[in-house]
Amino acid sequence: LEQAKKREPKNPQIFNNLGLAYAGKAQFEEAEKYLRVAIKLLPEFAEAHFNLSRILLMNGNYKDGWQENEWRWKCKNFPSTWRDFPYPHWQGENVRDKTVLVWSEQGIGDEIMFASVIPDPLADGAKLILECGERLVALFDRSFRAAVVVSRKNPPDNLIQQSQIDYQLPIASLCTYYRNTSEAFQKAKGPYLSADPTRLIKLRDRYLKSEKGPLVGICWRSGNPIAGAERSAPLENWDKILLQPNCKFVSLQYGEVKADLEAVKKRLGVQVYHDERIDPLKDAEDWFAQVAAMDLVVSVDNSTIQVSGSQGINTWVLLSHVPEWRFGITGIDHDWHATAKVYRQKTKGDWKSVFETLTGDLGTW
């Protein structure tokens, strides 16, 4: 790419790709510089704007980052479709006594994370209609009592069409107005979703029936189609953790886990409990209740940490060397969830040092 830049110094795609390449090497100043060159060469280059937003958000420049993030809808490969409602797009106007339609976007983990902003327009007096994925309707309805929650479908729910809606916007765009400083994140920290209490009690009793706790839920794999392999920490790395006495380990990993857990049993003689009656990919209510039953969640970067963090469960997050934008570049705190603690790889692929620190912290805990 550096050679290509010399041959074609006015090619915006080369500078965009250079920005991504340097970001992949955790050289974020270089990444930002090249992405800004790409935008200067082609001001309407949506992908470069969107990529720049990730770098700015990682650096804690939330004000500019969220503005650049609005270009996501013009990116060809953005994994959501625009909801073509005929209502004005909200741009920060006074929402007191106004009916505002907020609709979800991106994956279920993003829906859960961005839902942390929902209490803000409600506190400002908005009459909120929240359209979300079907799996989350009951959960959001219980957690946001003042909002009307409907399932996302086509054609839209009749309740939307029957309401006198004043404004609409996608859920992540709320951040442009309510999460544009680090201080705004600090003020908003706290649990905002709550599991079904009956299911929670039932599951905790089930898991503690034969043994004492504490219950430690673990996740070792990411299903992200692009970065999943890099984010995943195979169970071979977890031996010292799983040998910690006086803990009952529970698999919170979604997908196929039988072979992984059998290998642990054979290698260590440790039985990691797997509740075959819970399928996070099908039933979010059971998923949230199971996670809420834990005393501690230790997980790689996948949607489980959104489930635990949103409920105020102690959460230890294992991050690859170049993490997602939402974790920032340095530090052990996580802006989105007050109860999350971050463990970062020092170099690419180095889980050894992460688990050494983790093992010591778990013993102390």
Side-chain angles (χ1 to χ4, degrees):
L1 286 168
E2 288 286 6
Q3 292 299 316
K5 178 189 72 174
K6 295 174 184 177
R7 292 194 300 270
E8 299 181 57
K10 294 188 181 299
N11 185 327
Q13 187 68 58
I14 291 172
F15 285 94
N16 175 71
N17 292 355
L18 265 172
L20 292 176
Y22 276 108
K25 292 169 66 66
Q27 296 180 27
F28 299 111
E29 287 186 15
E30 290 291 299
E32 180 178 346
K33 180 181 75 175
Y34 283 123
L35 289 169
R36 290 192 181 279
V37 172
I39 292 167
K40 186 176 181 179
L41 289 168
L42 185 62
E44 297 298 310
F45 194 172
E47 283 76 13
H49 282 284
F50 182 61
N51 292 332
L52 177 61
S53 77
R54 287 348 203 195
I55 302 300
L56 296 175
L57 292 170
M58 280 192 82
N59 276 303
N61 183 351
Y62 293 115
K63 186 176 185 297
D64 294 336
W66 292 126
Q67 291 292 340
E68 294 288 345
N69 193 54
E70 290 301 299
W71 285 87
R72 65 194 183 279
W73 299 106
K74 295 186 178 181
C75 295
K76 294 178 182 177
N77 295 321
F78 186 64
S80 285
T81 53
W82 179 263
R83 298 292 278 161
D84 199 18
F85 291 110
Y87 315 116
H89 188 86
W90 184 61
Q91 296 181 320
E93 297 92 340
N94 189 338
V95 292
R96 182 162 298 281
D97 297 325
K98 301 292 185 181
T99 302
V100 181
L101 169 64
V102 176
W103 44 272
S104 64
E105 55 175 295
Q106 304 179 58
I108 191 169
D110 297 287
E111 281 191 81
I112 295 166
M113 186 185 79
F114 287 124
S116 63
V117 194
I118 292 298
D120 294 66
L122 289 172
D124 282 346
K127 300 173 183 176
L128 209 64
I129 299 178
L130 176 58
E131 186 194 58
C132 65
E134 185 176 1
R135 280 195 289 166
L136 297 174
V137 170
L139 176 78
F140 282 3
D141 187 55
R142 178 173 56 252
S143 303
F144 305 123
R145 295 291 189 184
V148 175
V149 183
V150 298
S151 175
R152 175 176 173 136
K153 57 187 179 181
N154 289 308
D157 191 285
N158 287 333
L159 196 148
I160 294 176
Q161 299 177 5
Q162 294 165 5
S163 301
Q164 299 296 313
I165 292 172
D166 297 291
Y167 301 109
Q168 58 131 341
L169 79 165
I171 193 167
S173 294
L174 284 170
C175 297
T176 307
Y177 307 98
Y178 289 114
R179 294 292 182 275
N180 52 23
T181 64
S182 294
E183 291 74 23
F185 276 95
Q186 296 303 317
K187 290 178 182 177
K189 277 190 172 181
Y192 55 92
L193 297 179
S194 52
D196 179 341
T198 302
R199 297 190 197 210
L200 166 57
I201 293 170
K202 181 180 178 181
L203 288 174
R204 189 164 173 86
D205 287 347
R206 181 193 301 173
Y207 299 155
L208 291 174
K209 186 175 182 180
S210 58
E211 302 175 47
K212 293 181 179 180
L215 295 175
V216 180
I218 63 170
C219 259
W220 58 94
R221 198 165 60 226
S222 165
N224 185 286
I226 298 172
E230 191 172 302
R231 294 177 190 171
S232 298
L235 277 176
E236 290 81 1
N237 297 282
W238 294 69
D239 286 5
K240 290 182 179 179
I241 297 293
L242 298 177
L243 288 171
Q244 175 70 40
N246 307 318
C247 288
K248 180 168 185 178
F249 292 98
V250 178
S251 168
L252 302 179
Q253 182 64 56
Y254 43 82
E256 178 54 48
V257 301
K258 187 175 180 181
D260 284 350
L261 299 185
E262 285 180 352
V264 168
K265 180 71 179 296
K266 185 176 181 180
R267 187 170 69 251
L268 304 177
V270 172
Q271 181 72 54
V272 177
Y273 185 82
H274 174 55
D275 192 341
E276 295 183 354
R277 288 164 283 192
I278 306 294
D279 186 351
L281 300 177
K282 293 183 179 179
D283 191 325
E285 286 284 73
D286 279 347
W287 185 23
F288 269 76
Q290 182 186 42
V291 173
M294 301 298 112
D295 296 295
L296 173 68
V297 170
V298 184
S299 175
V300 297
D301 177 14
N302 63 23
S303 55
T304 302
I305 65 168
Q306 306 301 339
V307 176
S308 57
S310 66
Q311 299 184 89
I313 307 300
N314 285 326
T315 305
W316 294 356
V317 187
L318 316 182
L319 292 184
S320 54
H321 183 51
V322 182
E324 268 203 308
W325 59 271
R326 67 193 82 204
F327 294 101
I329 295 172
T330 60
I332 62 171
D333 295 325
H334 185 24
D335 274 349
W336 294 89
H337 301 304
T339 55
K341 182 179 180 181
V342 171
Y343 294 80
R344 301 174 184 271
Q345 284 186 350
K346 295 177 182 177
T347 58
K348 187 174 183 178
D350 174 29
W351 286 120
K352 183 179 179 181
S353 62
V354 171
F355 278 94
E356 285 176 355
T357 304
L358 196 67
T359 302
D361 286 357
L362 182 63
T364 303
W365 181 82

